[in-house]
Amino acid sequence: MTAIEVTGLSKRFGPVEAASDIRFTVEPGEIFGLMGHNGAGKTTLLRMLLGLTRPTAGSARVLGHDVTRDALAVRRAAGFLPASYALPPDMTPRQLLEYVAAMFSLPRDVSRARVEALLRKFDLAAAADRKLRGFSTGMTQKVGLAQALVNDPQVLFLDEPTSGLDPLGRHELLELLRELARERGVTILFSSHILSDVETLCRRVAVLHRGRLIACDALDALRRAHGAATMDELYLALVRREAA
C-alpha cells in the first residue's frame, strides 16, 4: 500500500484556483519533496491531505484513509508542522508536549515516557521548563517538530520547516528528518522553496507552480531531461517551459 495517494486533487477559493488536478504517490518510508515558490499551492495541498481543507475536486488517501471521509483517522496517524507555528508563549516545552499527548488520549505512562524521550532527542531537556516566550527560531522549530511526533506518527507533513533557520539549524533539522525516515520508517512529505534542502533530503519531487503540478519524478531524471546542473537551473527550466 502506498503511504500517500493523490488523485486529481483540486481546490478553489472563489475565482482563485489554489490547486489544480494534483496527482502523485508517496511510498512508505520515503522523504518526498514538494517544490515551489511561495504561493505555488504547497500549503493548500498539505492542508487538504490532513483533512483541514476540503478539496473542490479529486481525492486523496493517507495510509489508506480517505482525507475527506476519514479525516480524523488521517490526523491520528499523522504529524504536522505548519509553516507558521505559533507556540503558546506562557507554556514550557514539557507542558506543550504533555498537552498534545493529552489531545491524542495517550495513557499517562506512555505520555510521560514519550515526552521525556522527545525532549532528549531534540536537545530540549535543559530548556524543558522554560517558558516558550523568547525561544530562538531554531529552538522553536525543534519544539514544533517534537510536538508533531508526540503521537508516534507514520506520516509526517512538514510545511517549510527550515525557513528562517541559520545554516547549522537547517543542517541539524535535515539530519533529524533523515534519521526518522531511515531508522523509524516514517514517511515524510516535505514542502520547501529552499531548493538545496529538497535536493539534500529527497530522491523524488513534485514541482508546483501557480497551483499546477508541472513535474513529478526523480530529481536525477528531471535534471537529465532538462540539462540542469543545479536545482536553480532545473526549477527555472520547468517554470519557463510552463510559461511557454
Side-chain angles (χ1 to χ4, degrees):
M1 180 180 70
T2 56
I4 302 170
E5 182 178 2
V6 181
T7 308
L9 212 56
S10 303
K11 179 63 181 179
R12 278 189 170 275
F13 294 100
V16 177
E17 194 169 40
S20 176
D21 195 29
I22 308 296
R23 299 171 184 268
F24 63 84
T25 59
V26 181
E27 297 304 313
E30 181 177 10
I31 305 179
F32 187 89
L34 284 180
M35 285 169 51
H37 61 279
N38 290 334
K42 304 186 301 297
T43 296
T44 297
L45 176 58
L46 290 178
R47 289 182 61 82
M48 286 192 287
L49 293 178
L50 281 157
L52 300 173
T53 297
R54 191 177 184 87
T56 305
S59 63
R61 303 183 77 83
V62 175
L63 301 174
H65 303 295
D66 184 280
V67 299
T68 300
R69 293 193 298 270
D70 303 323
L72 184 57
V74 171
R75 289 197 287 272
R76 285 191 176 280
F80 179 41
L81 178 61
S84 300
Y85 187 62
L87 296 174
D90 290 321
M91 270 187 164
T92 67
R94 191 190 309 280
Q95 288 170 336
L96 175 63
L97 298 185
E98 289 174 346
Y99 175 75
V100 174
M103 288 176 61
F104 283 101
S105 302
L106 297 184
R108 193 165 186 80
D109 56 337
V110 174
S111 168
R112 187 179 298 113
R114 196 165 294 169
V115 166
E116 293 305 317
L118 286 168
L119 290 171
R120 290 192 302 271
K121 176 75 173 175
F122 290 94
D123 196 24
L124 292 166
D129 298 306
R130 258 178 50 202
K131 288 190 183 296
L132 291 164
R133 181 185 288 108
F135 268 40
S136 68
T137 302
M139 291 284 280
T140 296
Q141 289 298 80
K142 284 184 177 182
V143 175
L145 188 54
Q147 66 79 32
L149 294 170
V150 166
N151 61 322
D152 196 21
Q154 296 169 263
V155 176
L156 196 55
F157 294 97
L158 305 175
D159 194 3
E160 303 283 357
T162 60
S163 184
L165 295 181
D166 61 30
L168 178 59
R170 284 171 57 202
H171 173 76
E172 289 177 346
L173 187 58
L174 296 177
E175 284 301 311
L176 284 167
L177 297 180
R178 269 206 203 92
E179 185 180 321
L180 286 170
R182 183 177 61 246
E183 297 183 4
R184 292 176 51 189
V186 177
T187 304
I188 300 174
L189 188 56
F190 174 87
S191 148
S192 184
H193 68 279
I194 303 174
L195 304 184
S196 61
D197 289 349
V198 177
E199 182 178 32
T200 297
L201 277 186
C202 308
R203 187 184 69 83
R204 292 196 308 133
V205 299
V207 185
L208 301 181
H209 181 63
R210 296 180 179 174
R212 300 180 64 83
L213 181 67
I214 62 173
C216 184
D217 205 342
L219 270 175
D220 287 346
L222 287 172
R223 275 195 292 253
R224 285 195 303 271
H226 295 277
T230 67
M231 291 293 288
D232 285 345
E233 288 178 4
L234 173 61
Y235 183 67
L236 287 172
L238 291 169
V239 171
R240 286 168 179 161
R241 185 192 66 177
E242 182 70 8

